[in-house]
Amino acid sequence: GAGVSQSPRYKVTKRGQDVALRCDPISGHVSLYWYRQALGQGPEFLTYFNYEAQQDKSGLPNDRFSAERPEGSISTLTIQRTEQRDSAMYRCASSRGGTDTQYFGPGTRLTVL
Amino acid sequence: GQQLNQSPQSMFIQEGEDVSMNCTSSSIFNTWLWYKQDPGEGPVLLIALYKAGELTSNGRLTAQFGITRKDSFLNISASIPSDVGIYFCAGLSTGNQFYFGTGTSLTVIP
């Protein structure tokens, strides 16, 4: 596609529910990154993939968070048993790899009630 | 985790003035990046720096990668209203993780 897309754009859920956030990177981009951005803060690194391999997941806050990219393209960030503190903007970015420019998606605004 | 501190936190300037902001880190980075984020949008890359001491320009923007590899600055010359937004620095660690700074909010008064 022309740019990185994410869905849904907005997600409101009740505490304790599971949510799945989707990222569709720019076609052909090798690397895919997940970030969380709180209001007024910079993006906080969560995890990233090269192709289908998860290279680093040290930024995931706890084991309720997981991500996959099974075919090296679309990625899903899953949050299990959501808590109110999980409320944030979740952003995805993709790049050709290495230090190449990351292009950010519009984000998914998650609100946990 | 890595901490990138940006200063100032916010700036209010008159149109036409020059702007300077900087970013410091407690750790060494191999790459420094500067992004601009408009409300409701994702960050957009402005300038990338790959070598210590490197000075790079992109139009009215100039950025430098500090010699110690622990800092960087961004200058904007002759500011215009569309420069309004939040500017983030980001550093790429040896582990290939990007860490973003705390942001500098810029307001340009016409």
Side-chain angles (χ1 to χ4, degrees):
Chain A
V4 179
S5 60
Q6 291 185 245
S7 62
R9 292 294 306 275
Y10 301 91
K11 178 70 177 178
V12 180
T13 189
K14 289 184 179 178
R15 188 176 52 189
Q17 298 293 306
D18 298 350
V19 295
L21 312 180
R22 172 184 165 131
C23 172
D24 201 338
I26 292 173
S27 178
H29 275 194
V30 167
S31 299
L32 185 149
Y33 300 80
W34 282 100
Y35 294 89
R36 178 169 66 177
Q37 187 172 18
L39 200 61
Q41 300 292 319
E44 173 194 4
F45 171 84
L46 296 177
T47 186
Y48 87 99
F49 294 82
N50 281 341
Y51 300 101
E52 73 282 359
Q54 192 169 16
Q55 298 294 313
D56 188 331
K57 55 182 181 179
S58 63
L60 296 176
N62 51 61
D63 60 9
R64 295 186 297 107
F65 288 72
S66 62
E68 61 175 11
R69 194 187 184 197
E71 296 179 3
S73 179
I74 293 168
S75 177
T76 303
L77 177 70
T78 301
I79 309 173
Q80 296 178 310
R81 304 181 302 282
T82 52
E83 301 177 4
Q84 285 184 328
R85 59 179 172 154
D86 298 335
S87 297
M89 176 72 82
Y90 288 83
R91 295 198 185 274
C92 169
S94 72
S95 77
R96 293 189 189 92
T99 60
D100 209 67
T101 302
Q102 291 186 26
Y103 295 87
F104 280 82
T108 294
R109 169 73 66 190
L110 174 66
T111 302
V112 182
L113 302 176
Chain B
Q2 315 279 12
Q3 284 279 346
L4 298 185
N5 297 306
Q6 285 185 245
S7 63
Q9 189 174 6
S10 61
M11 303 180 74
F12 293 81
I13 61 168
Q14 291 287 139
E15 182 178 356
E17 288 184 357
D18 297 343
V19 172
S20 185
M21 59 189 78
N22 73 344
C23 185
T24 59
S25 165
S26 57
S27 302
I28 288 173
F29 287 108
N30 295 326
T31 299
W32 283 93
L33 307 156
W34 284 93
Y35 286 84
K36 178 173 182 273
Q37 186 170 20
D38 292 327
E41 303 291 326
V44 174
L45 183 67
L46 298 174
I47 289 182
L49 302 157
Y50 300 105
K51 287 187 342 184
E54 180 181 356
L55 183 72
T56 296
S57 293
N58 178 7
R60 293 179 296 106
L61 277 60
T62 302
Q64 183 155 30
F65 190 149
I67 290 291
T68 64
R69 294 162 64 193
K70 291 184 177 181
D71 63 330
S72 177
F73 71 75
L74 176 70
N75 286 344
I76 305 173
S77 63
S79 58
I80 59 178
S82 62
D83 290 335
V84 165
I86 302 178
Y87 291 79
F88 290 104
C89 63
L92 177 66
S93 72
T94 52
N96 228 32
Q97 289 182 8
F98 281 95
Y99 294 93
F100 281 76
T102 48
T104 293
S105 174
L106 178 64
T107 301
V108 179
I109 303 166

